[in-house]
Amino acid sequence: VIPKVLDVDLSKRPSGAIAYAFPETCPACGSPAVRERNEKTGRFDSVRRCTGGLICPAQVVEQLKHFVARKALDIDGLGDKQIEAFFADGLITNPAEIFTLRSRDDASPLKKLKNREGWGDTSAKKLFGAIDERRSVDLHRFIFGLGIRHVGEQTAKDLARHFVGADAFIQAMEAMADGDEEMAAETGNIDGIGSTVVGALTEFFSAQQNRRVIAQLLDEVRPTDHETVASESPVAGKTIVFTGSLEQMTRDEAKAMAERLGAKVAGSVSAKTSLLVAGPGAGSKLKKAQDLGVETVDEDGWFKLIGRGE
């Protein structure tokens, strides 16, 4: 349940209370902190945001954390604490430097990673290995990992599905940022993409610093092309919901499998749900699916349906 503030009980407020003054400058970099106005409603956003972008150390750190997160590059052993420590010591200041960490560590005559506090030879080798494992990554993970505002996991998949390859995506976005109205129109017409996302993409790729970092990243990382979906897939175009404990695959693996086959994966059951895949322990979603008459199969039935069963 998400709580909501309904009202303010002014009778509880002390007579000498002073209204809180929200900061107008970022405490990390000193850039203006502004409340954006919604063009459609005319109302100001409820939050203030730093306008410093990549000159703001706090934003850079959070961008790095996002880049290595589970749904992005998913680099094992490089968590929030490690990112904060590496940034503070100047070892990693942008995503591309993650992939040059080993070579710089090998070449450095100074303190090696394995000799740093909390590290050792084994843990350092594991981290370098985990980084190398992500030199090939799905295109949608790469796009999501860039941390572009309004580009979430699903939007990244929509973009990857449309542009297929990293080179085509980057070229299209840079063209759009340089004023290509046809490309802006094409991007805006992608199912699931609207003017807000187009504006965010344009703003991101208009920054030369962002373009440089992406170019450096592509020297180290090769995003794999988005897999095209065969039209004969038995679940293409259907909305699938997974629930219960899956025993032969993780929930993320199941979701990725369904999407590769052209299905859309939803988190809740509705009248638009085409199929519910229910594992042991399925509860309210299973009951709702039964009430709505939604087709339901177990995990074995799912594999049989997509042609991977015995």
Side-chain angles (χ1 to χ4, degrees):
V1 177
I2 301 175
K4 179 181 180 181
V5 176
L6 297 176
D7 201 356
V8 177
D9 186 352
L10 296 178
S11 67
K12 302 291 186 180
R13 179 177 293 173
S15 58
I18 300 175
Y20 178 77
F22 285 89
E24 296 186 355
T25 58
C26 172
C29 70
S31 298
V34 301
R35 294 174 64 190
E36 298 177 349
R37 183 192 292 271
N38 187 308
E39 294 181 359
K40 294 181 179 179
T41 65
R43 298 177 61 182
F44 283 101
D45 199 345
S46 59
V47 301
R48 285 186 179 271
R49 287 185 168 85
C50 167
T51 58
L54 292 178
I55 71 167
C56 178
Q59 289 195 52
V60 174
V61 169
E62 294 307 312
Q63 181 196 42
L64 289 167
K65 290 178 182 178
H66 176 82
F67 184 77
V68 302
R70 184 169 61 88
K71 293 184 178 180
L73 272 286
D74 191 20
I75 300 179
D76 190 33
L78 196 55
D80 291 357
K81 291 183 179 179
Q82 290 78 20
I83 287 292
E84 290 171 0
F86 288 170
F87 180 82
D89 291 342
L91 292 177
I92 296 176
T93 60
N94 67 57
E97 290 184 347
I98 293 171
F99 294 92
T100 62
L101 184 61
R102 184 203 289 265
S103 60
R104 288 184 285 119
D105 189 74
D106 290 342
S108 175
L110 303 176
K111 192 173 183 179
K112 303 286 187 181
L113 177 61
K114 65 181 181 180
N115 296 325
R116 292 170 63 90
E117 183 178 354
W119 292 84
D121 186 60
T122 300
S123 56
K125 286 181 178 178
K126 283 184 176 180
L127 176 60
F128 292 144
I131 292 172
D132 286 340
E133 287 179 359
R134 293 297 181 264
R135 290 186 182 274
S136 177
V137 63
D138 291 338
L139 177 58
H140 73 269
R141 284 180 172 269
F142 180 83
I143 295 173
F144 177 64
L146 294 176
I148 304 169
R149 192 175 176 199
H150 300 301
V151 177
E153 185 183 8
Q154 185 57 52
T155 300
K157 290 177 180 178
D158 294 336
L159 290 166
R161 187 179 299 112
H162 181 81
F163 291 104
V164 181
D167 292 340
F169 170 71
I170 301 301
Q171 290 170 9
M173 295 302 99
E174 291 185 349
M176 188 169 69
D178 291 338
D180 188 329
E181 294 182 1
E182 289 186 4
M183 183 52 64
E186 177 184 333
T187 305
N189 286 329
I190 299 172
D191 187 29
I193 306 294
S195 59
T196 298
V197 173
V198 169
L201 289 165
T202 300
E203 181 180 357
F204 183 86
F205 282 92
S206 294
Q208 293 301 315
Q209 170 66 13
N210 290 339
R211 294 192 186 190
R212 285 194 294 270
V213 169
I214 291 174
Q216 292 167 4
L217 262 175
L218 292 177
D219 286 338
E220 305 290 338
V221 179
R222 189 68 253 173
T224 56
D225 290 353
H226 181 79
E227 294 185 23
T228 55
V229 178
S231 59
E232 62 270 17
S233 165
V235 294
K238 294 186 176 182
T239 300
I240 313 295
V241 175
F242 293 92
T243 189
S245 300
L246 302 180
E247 299 175 323
Q248 302 177 55
M249 54 185 172
T250 66
R251 189 66 58 84
D252 284 343
E253 289 171 341
K255 182 177 179 180
M257 179 186 295
E259 289 175 340
R260 284 197 300 270
L261 293 169
K264 178 180 179 181
V265 179
S268 59
V269 175
S270 70
K272 295 182 179 180
T273 303
S274 308
L275 177 71
L276 177 76
V277 181
S284 59
K285 291 180 182 178
L286 176 58
K287 184 179 185 305
K288 186 171 183 180
Q290 292 170 338
D291 292 341
L292 293 172
V294 173
E295 180 184 0
T296 302
V297 297
D298 59 13
E299 199 169 356
D300 289 335
W302 163 254
F303 283 114
K304 183 178 180 179
L305 173 65
I306 62 176
R308 300 190 185 185
E310 295 182 357

